[in-house]
Amino acid sequence: MIHVDQTYIDGRFLPATGEEEVDIVNPADETVIGRARMASREDARRAIEAAVRAQPDFGRTAVADRVAMLERLQVAMLANADALRESSILEYGGPVARSQWVASYASQCFGDAARTLSSYVFERPVGVDGVSILQMRPVGVSGLFAPWNAAAGTIASKLAAAIAAGCATVIKPSELSPWQALVITRAIHDAALPPGVVNVVTGRGADVGAEIGTHPGVAKLSFTGSTPTGQLIARAAVESMKRVSLALTGKSASLLLDDADLRVAVPLALGAAFMNSGQACVAGTRLLVPRARLAEVVEQVRTAVATMRVGDPRDPATAIGPMVSRTQFERIQRYIRRGQEQGATLVVGGEGRPEGLARGWFVRPTVFTDVRNDMDIAREEIFGPVLSILPVDSEEQAIAIANDSPYGLQGYVFSADEARARRVAGRIETGTVLVNRVAPDLLAPFGGVKLSGQGREFGVMGLEAFLEPRTITIG
C-alpha cells in the first residue's frame, strides 16, 4: 500500500497536518492502492513563509548558480524517470507510452530552461538615446498549481521557469495526484536546492489553494486546470494584485482541408483527439471535414477507432487507458448520451465499458458525425475519448466554426499545401496552431486566448512570466 502523508517545506519532508485522508485508487481495476493525507491551510502558510524567507537571497543568485540548479534538477528527474512513469500509470491510468514521455519531458523542461536562461539578458538599454535601462527582476514568491493529468510535466515546466527567474515557489498539486506529487518532490529534493526555494503542499483548493491564492506573501500565481477554477483564482488574486498566468479549458478544432492526404492527416487528427486517453486540454475533439470528403473520412475514422486497444495502461499496445475516476467516467457517459439526444450520429463507440472490461473506468473511444457546432459535445470540454466530426462546405465556413467557441487554446490544420495551411492557421483564434503535426514545440510560447486563459509558458516568454520589468531613467 502507498502511504502519502508528507509535505515538503523549507527543504524537509514534514507530516501533513490536515484531517482529511483520501483513497488512492488504481483506475484500471478500481482497487484502493494507498491512502493520502491532505495538507492543511496551516501547512500552506508554513510553506509560504519558508518561500518568503528564501526569496531575498534566491532572487539575487547569479545566473550561473541558477543554471547549475536547473541542471541538477534535470539529472534528478532523469534518475527518477521510472518512478515518475510508474506513478502516472498507477494513479491515473496513463498509457505507458504517454507516461514514459511525461517522465522524459519533466527532465527536458529543466534542460530547456537552463539553455534559455544562459542566453537571456536581464538588463538592457531602452528608450530614447539609451537614457533608460530595463531591468528584468524576479516577480517574487510564486504559487504553482498543477493538474492530475500530467502532474510531473506541469510541475516541471512551471518550476523550471520560476527557478530560472529567481522565484521561490509553493507548489499545490491536485488532490487527485498525491502519489505523483510525492515522487516528483523526492526528485526535487535530490537536486539539493537551497531550503525554502521549493515547497510542496498537496491539498484541497478550498483550503491549501485558497491560502496560496490570497496570502500577501505570494506575488505570482501560475495555474493549469479548468476555466471555472481559474476564474476563482484570478478573482482572489485581484485583492493583492498578484500576477496571474492561467492555462485553462480547451475545445480544440482540427481543420482537415480539402487537399489533405487522408492517409497522413486522419491518423494525426485521431492522435490529436485521443492523446492521453482524451484527458488533455489540447485534445483536438472537433474535426472539421469538407462535406465532399466526409464519407471517406468517416469510414477511415470508423476503421481506425474500432481497432484502438483499450485496456491495461502497462500494455505498450494500449491506446486508451482508464479515466482518472468514477466521476470522470460518468461525466463522459452523460456527454455520449447527450450527443445522441441532440441528434448526432454515432459512428463508433457509445455508452458503457468496452467489451471484455468488467472493471476499471474504461470508456469506449467514441466518434460522432453530423454534429452541429451548437451541440453540447461540440461546445463543452468532455475530457475523454470523444470526437465530434463536423461537415463544412468551404474553407471560410471551417474557419468560422473553428472560431465559434468560447475557448481558444490550440488548433490543428492539415493540408498538402503548406502556404495555404499557414494562411488558414493565421486566422484561427487560439494561442497555438499546429500545422501537419501533433507534437508541440516546447520552446515556443504556449497558452490560450478567450476563456482558455492568459499568459504564456515555455521558452523566453515562459521565463518572463516570472519576471517584473523595472525601468531606471538617468538624467
Side-chain angles (χ1 to χ4, degrees):
M1 290 283 284
I2 297 166
H3 296 283
V4 181
D5 59 1
Q6 294 176 312
T7 62
Y8 186 68
I9 299 173
D10 214 13
R12 296 180 296 160
F13 288 97
L14 300 173
T17 65
E19 296 182 358
E20 182 185 10
E21 285 192 350
V22 299
D23 288 334
I24 302 174
V25 180
N26 183 343
D29 59 15
E30 304 177 45
T31 60
V32 175
I33 58 174
R35 294 279 287 170
R37 181 175 295 279
M38 296 290 96
S40 67
R41 195 157 189 152
E42 182 56 35
D43 292 331
R45 278 193 284 269
R46 283 195 288 267
I48 295 167
E49 289 163 2
V52 169
R53 289 193 298 271
Q55 182 58 47
D57 288 342
F58 184 58
R60 290 192 293 267
T61 53
V63 166
D65 292 337
R66 298 203 298 280
V67 167
M69 293 179 200
L70 290 166
E71 290 173 342
R72 294 202 301 275
L73 284 162
Q74 181 183 15
V75 170
M77 292 299 148
L78 195 58
N80 285 273
D82 288 348
L84 292 171
R85 181 194 65 237
E86 286 301 299
S87 65
S88 176
I89 293 170
L90 276 174
E91 195 166 53
Y92 88 92
V96 64
R98 171 75 181 188
S99 298
Q100 184 63 57
W101 178 85
V102 169
S104 299
Y105 165 62
S107 176
Q108 181 183 345
C109 286
F110 295 106
D112 288 347
R115 287 188 291 275
T116 300
L117 174 60
S118 296
S119 60
Y120 188 78
V121 180
F122 284 84
E123 185 171 310
R124 50 194 183 269
V126 294
V128 179
D129 298 326
V131 300
S132 296
I133 297 168
L134 172 66
Q135 296 178 334
M136 299 298 287
R137 308 172 71 242
V139 68
V141 172
S142 298
L144 313 181
F145 296 76
W148 53 263
N149 63 318
T154 308
I155 289 172
S157 64
K158 293 178 185 296
L159 179 60
I163 295 294
C167 295
T169 61
V170 179
I171 301 170
K172 193 206 92 63
S174 167
E175 64 273 14
L176 293 176
S177 59
W179 177 235
Q180 294 174 78
L182 181 58
V183 171
I184 194 171
T185 303
R186 288 171 175 168
I188 292 168
H189 181 72
D190 291 345
L193 272 59
V197 168
V198 182
N199 307 273
V200 185
V201 278
T202 300
R204 296 287 185 183
D207 39 41
V208 172
E211 185 64 30
I212 296 170
T214 58
H215 195 290
V218 177
K220 159 82 180 183
L221 302 174
S222 179
F223 171 81
T224 296
S226 72
T227 293
T229 303
Q231 290 169 326
L232 290 174
I233 286 173
R235 291 188 191 105
V238 168
E239 187 66 28
S240 54
M241 288 298 170
K242 300 185 194 310
R243 278 44 180 161
V244 179
S245 297
L246 303 169
L248 306 177
T249 298
K251 191 64 182 177
S252 300
S254 293
L255 281 69
L256 191 69
L257 302 189
D258 56 19
D259 63 353
D261 182 346
L262 299 186
R263 295 170 300 175
V264 176
V266 169
L268 286 172
L270 291 177
F274 296 121
M275 67 173 69
N276 202 26
S277 305
Q279 298 179 121
C281 57
V282 295
T285 55
R286 292 184 295 153
L287 179 58
L288 279 53
V289 178
R291 197 177 300 275
R293 307 197 71 178
L294 181 63
E296 186 181 3
V297 170
V298 167
E299 189 53 38
Q300 189 171 336
V301 167
R302 185 199 318 273
T303 301
V305 174
T307 60
M308 282 183 175
R309 177 76 66 84
V310 182
D312 182 3
R314 292 187 182 280
D315 185 343
T318 293
I320 307 291
M323 302 300 98
V324 69
S325 66
R326 182 183 301 278
T327 299
Q328 185 62 14
F329 172 86
E330 292 173 349
R331 168 187 168 89
I332 296 166
Q333 300 304 307
R334 289 195 297 272
Y335 273 107
I336 293 172
R337 287 194 297 274
R338 189 65 175 148
Q340 294 172 295
E341 290 166 357
Q342 292 185 333
T345 300
L346 186 65
V347 174
V348 64
E351 291 184 69
R353 292 181 173 87
E355 185 177 349
L357 294 171
R359 291 181 62 80
W361 296 314
F362 294 99
V363 170
R364 299 169 69 190
T366 297
V367 179
F368 288 101
T369 190
D370 300 323
V371 178
R372 301 186 314 273
N373 205 45
D374 62 351
M375 293 179 178
D376 292 347
I377 56 174
R379 304 297 295 176
E380 300 174 16
E381 185 179 58
I382 299 172
F383 226 62
V386 180
L387 172 64
S388 295
I389 298 178
L390 292 80
V392 297
D393 294 308
S394 67
E395 180 183 295
E396 286 296 320
Q397 186 185 31
I399 294 169
I401 290 175
N403 292 336
D404 180 19
S405 172
Y407 304 110
L409 188 58
Q410 188 154 288
Y412 305 84
V413 178
F414 302 102
S415 172
D417 184 339
E418 183 178 322
R420 180 189 180 192
R422 290 184 62 176
R423 175 174 53 78
V424 171
R427 297 179 61 190
I428 304 301
E429 296 170 358
T430 59
T432 300
V433 184
L434 301 182
V435 174
N436 293 329
R437 62 184 288 167
V438 176
D441 180 346
L442 297 177
L443 285 175
F446 172 78
V449 299
K450 299 190 278 188
L451 290 183
S452 287
Q454 61 184 34
R456 294 295 181 267
E457 300 186 27
F458 304 156
V460 171
M461 293 192 75
L463 168 62
E464 290 184 336
F466 290 89
L467 295 172
E468 192 77 72
R470 178 172 67 184
T471 301
I472 297 177
T473 301
I474 302 168

